[in-house]
Amino acid sequence: MDSYNVCEKTLISSDEIKKRVSELGCQISHDYKDKEVIFISVLNGSFMFTSDLMKEIHTLCSVDFIQISTYGNSTQSSGDFILKKDLSMNIEGKDIIIIEDIIDSGFTLSNLVEFLKSKNPASIKIAAFIDKPAKRKTKVKADYVGFVINHDYFIVGYGLDFSQKYRNLPYVGILKEHLHS
Ligand code: IMP
Ligand code: MG
């Protein structure tokens, strides 16, 4: 249960997350069985998804981290980003999969994809834990999606935050209105 009582509703339970992440791992392992993939985990939100997903990958892979900070307020991004931590690995000629926590407007990811393209990887795919298409403003599309949420809820948990809090919840829930307004 919600020990802090911060969510008005649980949307995705911890068991549902485990099952879906395992399915995604199988799918990616199958698609990349003859290739070596580099996962690019977008900090901070995707740390938990990255960790669980990688345990379900049964092919050769490695991971690197990138951290960007987007302009905007705490519940909406404008997409323009400042690079806070660049990759450590050279991805030129490599097959990469970006691991993102959530796609909302899509600004963050479309800018990130353009930035990573300039490093000349062989291919770029996107794995998003949550796809929230209701407010999409760009053409960006994830290749692997954990869950689609068709409402404009502000959700927290499993890495997703509000002002850096609530990332530790093992499930995804709708944050109580008064906590983010
Ligand atoms: P976008 O640029 O609008 O696609 O926003 C993506 C970023 O906004 C994500 O990486 C999250 O950090 C944040 N975000 C968008 N919606 C939510 C939400 O419902 N809960 C928590 N963070 C969110
Ligand atoms: Mg965030």
Side-chain angles (χ1 to χ4, degrees):
M1 271 310 291
D2 189 345
S3 50
Y4 320 110
N5 204 19
V6 293
C7 289
E8 57 183 56
K9 189 180 168 196
T10 298
L11 274 188
I12 312 167
S13 72
S14 167
D15 284 348
E16 286 171 313
I17 294 172
K18 275 198 192 97
K19 184 170 173 288
R20 185 67 191 126
V21 171
S22 162
E23 288 168 358
L24 285 178
C26 277
Q27 200 184 337
I28 294 172
S29 302
H30 174 267
D31 293 352
Y32 285 78
K33 63 180 182 298
D34 302 318
K35 292 181 186 167
E36 188 176 335
V37 62
I38 302 179
F39 291 103
I40 310 288
S41 176
V42 186
L43 294 172
N44 293 332
S46 66
F47 77 99
M48 221 179 260
F49 180 41
T50 302
S51 163
D52 288 346
L53 182 64
M54 284 196 70
K55 283 180 267 182
E56 303 292 341
I57 301 294
H58 311 292
T59 55
L60 212 52
C61 63
S62 44
V63 63
D64 199 355
F65 298 89
I66 193 163
Q67 188 172 31
I68 55 188
S69 140
T70 49
Y71 294 99
N73 62 35
S74 349
T75 59
Q76 273 181 324
S77 79
S78 70
D80 299 331
F81 74 81
I82 317 165
L83 187 65
K84 291 176 90 178
K85 185 216 166 290
D86 201 349
L87 298 177
S88 309
M89 295 170 74
N90 179 2
I91 59 167
E92 189 169 351
K94 308 286 187 187
D95 295 302
I96 66 167
I97 299 181
I98 302 171
I99 306 186
E100 184 49 310
D101 54 357
I102 184 165
I103 316 179
D104 189 21
S105 69
F107 283 136
T108 306
L109 257 179
S110 54
N111 283 324
L112 181 60
V113 166
E114 286 314 306
F115 174 72
L116 292 174
K117 271 186 187 165
S118 70
K119 295 176 182 277
N120 300 315
S123 67
I124 304 182
K125 286 201 174 181
I126 297 168
F129 172 57
I130 305 270
D131 187 2
K132 229 170 49 166
K135 286 197 303 181
R136 189 65 37 81
K137 293 196 176 67
T138 66
K139 284 203 180 116
V140 75
K141 222 172 154 285
D143 303 277
Y144 304 98
V145 173
F147 298 90
V148 177
I149 292 185
N150 280 312
H151 292 87
D152 185 23
Y153 297 134
F154 193 80
I155 54 175
V156 292
Y158 198 69
L160 290 158
D161 73 307
F162 173 71
S163 288
Q164 304 302 328
K165 293 187 290 273
Y166 320 121
R167 294 194 198 274
N168 57 314
L169 296 173
Y171 53 84
V172 170
I174 303 172
L175 188 64
K176 284 182 176 168
E177 185 81 36
H178 74 274
L179 293 172
H180 67 89
S181 51

